[in-house]
Amino acid sequence: MNEIKCPNCGKVFQVDEAGYAAIVAQVHTEQFEKEIADRLQTVRRELEARQQAAITEEKSRHQQMEAQKDQEIARLQEQAKNLDETRKKDMEALRAAEEMRHRQELDEKERRIIELQASTKAFETDKQLAVTTAVQKKETEIAELRVQIEQEKQTAASRLQTIQEDHQHEVSRLEAEIERYRDFKLRQSTKMIGENLEQHCLISFNQVRMMAFPNAYFEKDNEVVGGTKGDFIYRENTEDGIPLLSIMFEMKNEADDTEKKHRNEDFLDKLDKDRQKKNCEYAVLVTMLEPDSEYYNNGIVMAYQYEKMYIIRPQFFISLISLLRNAALSNIQTRRELMLARQQNLDVQQFEQALFDFKDKFGRNYELASAHFTRAIDEIDQTIKHLEKVKESLTKSENQYRLANDKAQDLSIKKLTKGNPTMQEKFQQAGIDVK
């Protein structure tokens, strides 16, 4: 038990533990709430004081900022006023300077105009003097050129006279040559005429061989190919061995009293075949046939029916060889490039042929191997089928053995003697029960 004394009357009370605890709790709760209320009141007064102080301080700071802004506005207004006055002064100074510069430019332009006018007058004077001098110089040159032209006319006339005389001599020579050939024909047989024409061409070539064709081959064609041959073959190679020119020649002539007259076209087909057989680039028919034909008498004739074939009179024999040789020389670089291209093409063809041979041999080997492989596979398949049949037979045999074994295991004397009274009696006599 606990004793509690009343503070008012001084009377002592006896209370148990539970009552004492309730009283203590009650006293503590009221005291705690009072302390809390007092503390809250104190805190509230402090917060109000602080808020009032903060408001007062903020109002003071705001008033100071407004005063500073008013001062800054006044300062900026004063500065703007000063800048405006400065700008007006600068504009007036700039306007004055611009006017001064404009006046100076006008003065400079007027001065340049005066100078240009003076220069123009001087240029006109100099130009007039230069034109006069140039005209005089050109007149002097024209006079000199007229003298030169007159001299060149006289020289050209003299040269023309010389050329005409030379041409007349050449015509006379050719006419004499033609007449000489005609005389040959009258005095010789057909065979002799042909032989003399060949001899004439050979002699004409040998006369200029060392000077014009030092590296050329020009001999009789003695090789019969396919039953025919030409008369002469001309061949020439460059120093590095490149074929330069090759010509198959055929010489034809006949006497005027020959009964059967031939024409040049009669021999062109054979000549072209001989050219191809002997691998010649050109074919030339040197002919005295059809002597009255202006078509053949006027110069070198191209036989358009055939490739690279010409028909000429004997007097153009050397000239045609020279023309063809010069054309070949001008194309020698092209021939070199062509031979190089052909060689490269030959190399490519050889490579392609080697590759084709390899592919062909490889293909044959592959086909043989494939055939052997296929045959082996077939044989294996057949063997597998045979083994499967054997397996099937063995499996069936095993089943039969199993059935036979089952039947053997199930076999008994009772089953064997069933329906056989005689055997049943014998087994029973032997002491074996069969029923």
Side-chain angles (χ1 to χ4, degrees):
M1 298 293 288
N2 293 319
E3 293 182 353
I4 298 175
K5 185 179 181 179
C6 178
N8 294 324
C9 63
K11 187 179 181 179
V12 178
F13 296 93
Q14 295 288 331
V15 292
D16 56 7
E17 291 294 330
Y20 182 78
I23 292 170
V24 170
Q26 183 179 1
V27 172
H28 284 178
T29 302
E30 292 176 355
Q31 185 179 359
F32 180 73
E33 289 178 353
K34 182 179 180 181
E35 289 177 357
I36 290 175
D38 293 340
R39 182 63 179 166
L40 287 174
Q41 187 68 23
T42 303
V43 171
R44 188 177 291 112
R45 285 195 297 267
E46 289 178 355
L47 289 175
E48 290 176 354
R50 289 179 183 178
Q51 288 177 356
Q52 188 64 34
I55 290 170
T56 302
E57 184 181 356
E58 181 65 22
K59 286 181 179 179
S60 177
R61 188 176 63 80
H62 184 68
Q63 290 174 356
Q64 291 178 0
M65 290 179 64
E66 287 182 349
Q68 290 177 357
K69 289 182 179 178
D70 292 339
Q71 293 175 1
E72 182 68 17
I73 290 170
R75 188 183 65 79
L76 291 174
Q77 288 176 347
E78 183 66 24
Q79 186 177 0
K81 182 178 179 181
N82 294 333
L83 288 174
D84 188 52
E85 292 177 356
T86 303
R87 184 179 63 79
K88 289 180 180 180
K89 292 179 181 180
D90 291 341
M91 289 296 293
E92 291 175 356
L94 181 61
R95 189 179 297 108
E98 184 68 21
E99 290 177 355
M100 178 64 71
R101 185 181 63 79
H102 185 63
R103 284 196 297 270
Q104 290 177 354
E105 288 181 352
L106 290 176
D107 294 340
E108 181 66 22
K109 288 181 179 178
E110 290 177 355
R111 186 181 64 79
R112 290 295 307 276
I113 289 171
I114 295 172
E115 291 179 356
L116 289 173
Q117 289 176 348
S119 299
T120 303
K121 291 180 181 179
F123 176 73
E124 290 293 335
T125 303
D126 294 340
K127 184 177 71 172
Q128 187 65 30
L129 179 61
V131 169
T132 304
T133 304
V135 169
Q136 292 177 354
K137 184 178 179 181
K138 289 296 180 183
E139 290 178 351
T140 303
E141 292 178 355
I142 290 171
E144 292 177 354
L145 288 173
R146 286 177 178 173
V147 173
Q148 292 179 3
I149 290 171
E150 189 63 30
Q151 292 176 353
E152 290 179 358
K153 284 183 178 179
Q154 293 178 358
T155 303
S158 176
R159 290 178 179 175
L160 180 60
Q161 181 66 29
T162 303
I163 291 172
Q164 289 177 347
E165 291 177 357
D166 292 341
H167 179 70
Q168 186 63 35
H169 290 321
E170 182 66 18
V171 170
S172 300
R173 187 185 68 79
L174 291 175
E175 289 178 350
E177 187 74 14
I178 292 171
E179 187 63 29
R180 185 168 66 85
Y181 279 112
R182 287 178 178 173
D183 184 62
F184 281 163
K185 290 194 297 180
L186 292 174
R187 292 186 288 105
Q188 299 184 9
S189 66
T190 300
K191 183 175 183 304
M192 289 299 296
I193 287 173
E195 291 177 352
N196 281 327
L197 179 57
E198 293 178 4
Q199 192 67 22
H200 165 76
C201 293
L202 181 59
I203 293 172
S204 299
F205 184 84
N206 289 333
Q207 287 175 347
V208 297
R209 179 196 290 267
M210 297 307 299
M211 178 180 63
F213 314 108
N215 300 321
Y217 166 89
F218 183 73
E219 300 292 342
K220 284 281 293 181
D221 182 20
N222 296 319
E223 182 182 1
V224 178
V225 178
T228 61
K229 66 182 184 66
D231 287 336
F232 281 87
I233 292 181
Y234 174 98
R235 294 188 188 275
E236 183 176 0
N237 297 335
T238 61
E239 293 181 356
D240 51 355
I242 297 176
L244 178 64
L245 181 63
S246 58
I247 308 172
M248 170 63 71
F249 283 98
E250 186 79 14
M251 285 72 170
K252 290 298 176 183
N253 195 5
E254 63 185 4
D256 290 339
D257 56 353
T258 304
E259 292 183 0
K260 184 179 179 181
K261 297 292 184 182
H262 291 90
R263 303 191 327 161
N264 292 316
E265 287 80 358
D266 299 338
F267 303 97
L268 299 183
D269 187 65
K270 173 184 176 299
L271 176 59
D272 183 66
K273 292 178 180 178
D274 290 339
R275 177 187 71 83
Q276 296 179 28
K277 292 174 183 177
K278 299 303 172 62
N279 195 25
C280 293
E281 183 177 4
Y282 293 93
V284 177
L285 176 63
V286 184
T287 175
M288 291 295 293
L289 304 179
E290 303 180 59
D292 298 328
S293 173
E294 294 296 328
Y295 179 66
Y296 296 112
N297 293 335
N298 285 334
I300 299 172
V301 176
M302 177 180 287
Y304 60 87
Q305 305 95 325
Y306 299 91
E307 180 184 5
K308 295 185 177 182
M309 182 179 293
Y310 297 92
I311 304 171
I312 60 171
R313 296 303 188 192
Q315 60 268 28
F316 300 108
F317 174 68
I318 299 298
S319 300
L320 179 61
I321 296 177
S322 299
L323 289 173
L324 295 179
R325 186 174 184 273
N326 291 336
L329 287 172
S330 64
N331 296 326
I332 189 61
Q333 184 61 31
T334 304
R335 288 174 177 265
R336 287 192 175 95
E337 294 176 357
L338 181 60
M339 286 194 64
L340 178 61
R342 287 176 177 173
Q343 183 61 40
Q344 292 175 348
N345 186 49
L346 181 60
D347 294 340
V348 172
Q349 290 178 352
Q350 291 176 349
F351 176 78
E352 290 178 346
Q353 184 62 37
L355 180 61
F356 177 78
D357 292 341
F358 171 77
K359 290 171 65 178
D360 183 61
K361 293 177 181 178
F362 182 83
R364 287 200 299 269
N365 293 335
Y366 174 81
E367 289 176 357
L368 292 174
S370 177
H372 290 309
F373 183 80
T374 302
R375 189 162 51 250
I377 293 295
D378 292 339
E379 291 177 357
I380 291 172
D381 290 339
Q382 293 175 2
T383 302
I384 290 172
K385 290 179 180 179
H386 177 69
L387 292 174
E388 287 178 349
K389 290 180 179 179
V390 173
K391 178 182 177 181
E392 184 181 359
S393 299
L394 291 174
T395 302
K396 291 179 179 179
S397 298
E398 182 182 3
N399 290 332
Q400 295 298 323
Y401 283 126
R402 181 179 57 80
L403 293 174
N405 182 60
D406 292 342
K407 291 178 178 180
Q409 294 296 328
D410 194 43
L411 185 63
S412 64
I413 296 174
K414 184 185 291 186
K415 289 182 179 181
L416 289 174
T417 59
K418 185 179 181 179
N420 192 341
T422 303
M423 294 301 300
Q424 290 179 355
E425 184 181 357
K426 294 291 184 185
F427 279 106
Q428 286 177 355
Q429 291 175 359
I432 299 173
D433 186 14
V434 296
K435 292 185 179 181

